[in-house]
Amino acid sequence: MLFNFRSLFSTRNVNKISKHLVQRIRYRHGPPSETPVQLKGRDLLTLQNFSAEEIKYLLWVSADLKERIKHRGEYLPLLQGKSLATIFEKRSTRTRLSTETGFALLGGHPCFLTAEDIHLGINENITDTARVLSTMTDAILARVCKHHDLELLAKEALIPVINGLSDSEHPIQILADYLTLQEHYGSLNGLTLCWIGDGNNVLNSIMLSAAKFGMNLHIAIPKGFEPDTMVTKTAEEYSIKYCTRLFRTTNPLEAARGANVLITDTWISMGQEEEKQARLKAFQDYQITMQIGKVAAPGWTFLHCLPRKPQEVDDEVFYSPQSLVFQEAENRKWTIMAVMVSLLSDYSPQMQKPTF
């Protein structure tokens, strides 16, 4: 009995139980704000697992860190002494750079691991990898091919796991998108987003979160390239719950009509190279141009998570004043910093909470 009691309260089990139980905007300066949101120890695999208030909190921390560090020049070593394992099965520019520079800026030490370094699930199974990394680092950010591998990694790890991209979702990209729109429009509630392109992981993350901010979503996708049916069902439930509109069509002009934000992404994701010609043919009428912008709402803007190909959006739109793509790219840094700070510390934003 004594042995079983000690086993139950071993360091590993206590950490495991703890982990799963805990699972320039116009701001006014002031004292640290009180918030009931507690994210320390949680995983971030999908925005579906986060409430509206929790996602808003992450954006609040993002804007707070950006203001304090970038605009006010403060030094905030909030993650001093902590280390982060970054696993990249797929190559990356923005995810890797924003994570490494952001974690270092906060005083921590990022450790970069490629598929050649770690062989996730090949030379060593995912369970063993998760347990080893849990003893040497404080968090894991993983960019993987299969979302299931990410879920298994999070299940076995004793430390927070962050989805740096999977075949199912790209939640940290969407946080950057929302911060960018919050900065530009001053509020997200009531905006109409228009997605024109493939039913991919980026769209899945938008569908699982936009309605939580009171945003409508118009989607134009050619037949055969629709998003996951379970994601669509959940998005429909959210649209009813949050009183927003979810509109789907195969006609880009219909989707763009009255939209505040036009969004697209690559038509050919990593691993889909063999489908290139078929995809280019299927999406040939889905390029975002000023002609499509004419039916959008006055003051419309454009987002693309990059890298971009001209067939997805022409130069006139991509380099226009309507395009927020480079501000969006920079915000990948501030939002991933907010995620890491929120999952690894008890930090409270110093700025007043914005109106979302």
Side-chain angles (χ1 to χ4, degrees):
M1 290 296 292
L2 181 58
F3 173 81
N4 290 337
F5 182 84
R6 287 175 175 172
S7 175
L8 176 65
F9 287 92
S10 67
T11 300
R12 173 177 172 76
N13 282 323
V14 169
N15 287 342
K16 195 72 173 177
I17 292 169
S18 176
K19 176 190 172 186
H20 291 293
L21 284 178
V22 178
Q23 299 269 342
R24 197 150 186 205
I25 306 178
R26 302 179 185 89
Y27 292 114
R28 291 197 293 268
H29 298 266
S33 303
E34 301 254 343
T35 172
V37 175
Q38 294 293 330
L39 301 180
K40 187 176 180 181
R42 291 270 297 273
D43 298 320
L44 174 54
L45 306 187
T46 168
L47 293 178
Q48 184 177 359
N49 293 341
F50 284 67
S51 68
E53 285 307 309
E54 288 171 337
I55 303 174
K56 290 175 183 178
Y57 177 77
L58 288 172
L59 296 183
W60 180 13
V61 176
S62 302
D64 179 80
L65 294 176
K66 185 175 182 179
E67 173 66 19
R68 295 188 67 189
I69 296 173
K70 178 179 180 179
H71 297 301
R72 294 167 56 183
E74 294 185 41
Y75 175 54
L76 300 176
L78 302 172
L79 301 181
Q80 187 169 4
K82 296 188 181 297
S83 58
L84 173 75
T86 60
I87 300 172
F88 284 84
E89 288 190 317
K90 293 184 175 183
R91 62 185 181 273
S92 167
T93 300
R94 281 149 293 278
T95 300
R96 178 182 176 183
L97 197 60
S98 61
T99 301
E100 289 191 4
T101 60
F103 202 78
L105 187 58
L106 293 165
H109 179 72
C111 308
F112 178 64
L113 300 168
T114 69
E116 296 300 318
D117 300 312
I118 198 167
H119 292 127
L120 189 67
I122 300 176
N123 281 355
E124 183 174 44
N125 65 47
I126 295 175
T127 295
D128 292 354
T129 297
R131 293 178 180 180
V132 169
L133 294 180
S134 295
T135 66
M136 298 184 181
T137 64
D138 297 282
I140 302 168
L141 181 139
R143 187 182 182 94
V144 299
C145 297
K146 299 177 182 178
H147 191 78
H148 174 72
D149 290 347
L150 193 70
E151 292 176 327
L152 181 56
L153 188 67
K155 177 184 177 181
E156 297 296 335
L158 304 178
I159 56 180
V161 175
I162 302 167
N163 182 355
L165 177 144
S166 70
D167 57 352
S168 295
E169 287 199 51
H170 198 355
I172 58 176
Q173 174 62 55
I174 304 313
L175 292 175
D177 291 0
Y178 292 167
L179 178 62
T180 303
L181 296 178
Q182 175 75 20
E183 289 175 334
H184 184 82
Y185 290 103
S187 177
L188 299 177
N189 184 54
L191 291 180
T192 296
L193 311 181
C194 169
W195 176 274
I196 299 175
D198 190 19
N200 64 11
N201 50 2
V202 177
L203 175 59
N204 286 345
S205 289
I206 294 175
M207 293 177 72
L208 294 173
S209 58
K212 295 177 181 181
F213 288 88
M215 291 189 285
N216 306 304
L217 180 58
H218 296 179
I219 301 171
I221 297 175
K223 291 182 179 180
F225 297 90
E226 296 86 357
D228 180 85
T229 54
M230 290 303 297
V231 171
T232 300
K233 181 181 178 181
T234 300
E236 289 171 344
E237 294 172 353
Y238 283 168
S239 70
I240 295 172
K241 178 179 180 179
Y242 295 100
C243 301
T244 62
R245 186 185 189 214
L246 177 64
F247 171 66
R248 292 178 290 154
T249 180
T250 58
N251 188 322
L253 282 174
E254 285 183 1
R257 196 171 304 281
N260 304 104
V261 189
L262 304 181
I263 314 172
T264 193
D265 187 18
T266 181
W267 297 343
I268 306 160
S269 298
M270 285 179 279
Q272 297 176 334
E273 288 79 9
E274 293 182 0
E275 305 173 26
K276 180 176 181 179
Q277 294 308 316
R279 283 178 166 270
L280 288 176
K281 182 178 180 180
F283 288 93
Q284 61 184 347
D285 297 324
Y286 285 73
Q287 183 190 46
I288 294 183
T289 64
M290 286 296 181
Q291 192 66 28
I292 288 181
K294 285 181 179 180
V295 303
W300 63 273
T301 54
F302 172 74
L303 295 178
H304 191 303
C305 68
L306 305 180
R308 158 261 185 179
K309 303 292 189 301
Q311 63 262 26
E312 299 151 6
V313 52
D314 66 11
D315 285 354
E316 188 178 10
V317 171
F318 188 76
Y319 293 108
S320 70
Q322 289 94 330
S323 177
L324 304 178
V325 296
F326 297 110
Q327 179 181 346
E328 175 189 12
E330 180 195 345
N331 280 337
R332 288 293 307 278
K333 179 171 182 173
W334 302 108
T335 47
I336 192 59
M337 288 170 67
V339 169
M340 296 184 295
V341 164
S342 298
L343 302 188
L344 290 174
S345 77
D346 296 310
Y347 179 75
S348 295
Q350 301 295 300
M351 306 294 180
Q352 181 172 323
K353 184 179 181 181
T355 300
F356 292 102

